[in-house]
């Protein structure tokens, strides 16, 4: 999608848009769905990012599903849009039922390996770095913590 606004203006408006969306979801309570990706590098480090809006926590790449969009395609799209990375292969981790902004939320979790450095879009994402899975930064978002736990639990079951 072409960027219609300059990045600094976009970053300035995103917190307002986030607050409006948050309040709308609390009022409507309509079910929503999204996709998140646990991206690791070849050394097994986990990619985390900071958004220009919302809580000041480390999170995972991902976002909402568009109407009729396949969750795996949404996951790929979000990583491409936010970080400039095309994921050749992603694997499903599982689905978590959560509550986001007061609305029921289905989170489709995926895992992928990447051999490139992320390039934050400087609009939605202002920072992106890899961290060893045993030494993740704080503050870590609660939904991020739950999604990483599901990913780690999947690895323990497979092993």
């Amino acid at each position: 999608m072409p960027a219609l606004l300059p990045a600094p203006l976009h970053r300035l408006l995103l917190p307002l848009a986030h607050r409006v969306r948050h309040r709308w979801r609390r009022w409507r309570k309509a079910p929503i769905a999204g996709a998140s990706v646990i991206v690791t590098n070849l050394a097994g480090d986990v990619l985390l990012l900071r958004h220009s809006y919302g809580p000041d926590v480390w999170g995972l790449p991902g976002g909402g599903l568009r109407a009729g969009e396949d969750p795996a395609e949404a996951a790929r799209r979000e990583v491409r849009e936010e970080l400039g990375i095309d994921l050749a292969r992603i694997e499903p981790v599982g689905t978590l039922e959560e509550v986001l902004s007061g609305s029921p939320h289905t989170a489709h979790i995926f895992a992928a390996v990447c051999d490139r450095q992320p390039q934050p879009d400087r609009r939605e994402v202002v920072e992106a770095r890899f961290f060893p899975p045993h030494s993740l930064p704080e503050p870590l978002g609660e939904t991020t913590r739950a999604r990483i736990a599901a990913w780690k639990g999947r690895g323990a079951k497979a092993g």
Side-chain angles (χ1 to χ4, degrees):
M1 177 179 352
L4 301 177
L5 297 173
L9 181 57
H10 194 179
R11 274 194 312 275
L12 185 67
L13 293 174
L14 276 172
L16 174 63
H18 177 74
R19 284 193 299 275
V20 168
R21 182 175 54 202
H22 176 77
R23 286 194 171 93
W24 176 256
R25 287 177 180 165
R26 281 203 176 287
W27 179 70
R28 286 280 322 272
K29 297 194 183 321
I32 53 178
S36 286
V37 187
I38 292 97
V39 178
T40 56
N41 61 15
L42 298 175
D45 299 329
V46 177
L47 178 63
L48 295 174
L49 50 80
R50 285 187 187 263
H51 284 99
S52 62
Y53 59 90
D56 187 21
V57 297
W58 288 96
L60 295 167
L65 273 66
R66 294 176 178 159
E69 188 176 27
D70 176 71
E73 287 308 311
R76 283 188 176 92
R77 174 182 52 77
E78 287 289 342
V79 171
R80 185 174 46 257
E81 289 175 1
E82 294 178 347
L83 303 166
I85 296 171
D86 284 314
L87 297 173
R89 184 172 157 220
I90 64 172
E91 298 178 13
V93 169
T95 304
L96 298 177
E97 297 300 328
E98 309 167 327
V99 174
L100 284 185
S101 300
S103 291
H105 181 258
T106 301
H108 300 273
I109 315 300
F110 297 91
V113 177
C114 172
D115 63 353
R116 295 185 43 212
Q117 280 299 111
Q119 301 297 317
D121 68 359
R122 310 304 291 163
R123 292 171 181 274
E124 280 190 71
V125 177
V126 294
E127 184 177 9
R129 296 183 6 216
F130 284 99
F131 296 92
H134 59 78
S135 184
L136 299 177
E138 292 294 339
L140 195 63
E142 287 306 312
T143 56
T144 299
R145 195 177 306 282
R147 294 167 187 186
I148 289 174
W151 169 68
K152 285 182 175 179
R154 176 181 166 256
K157 290 177 192 167

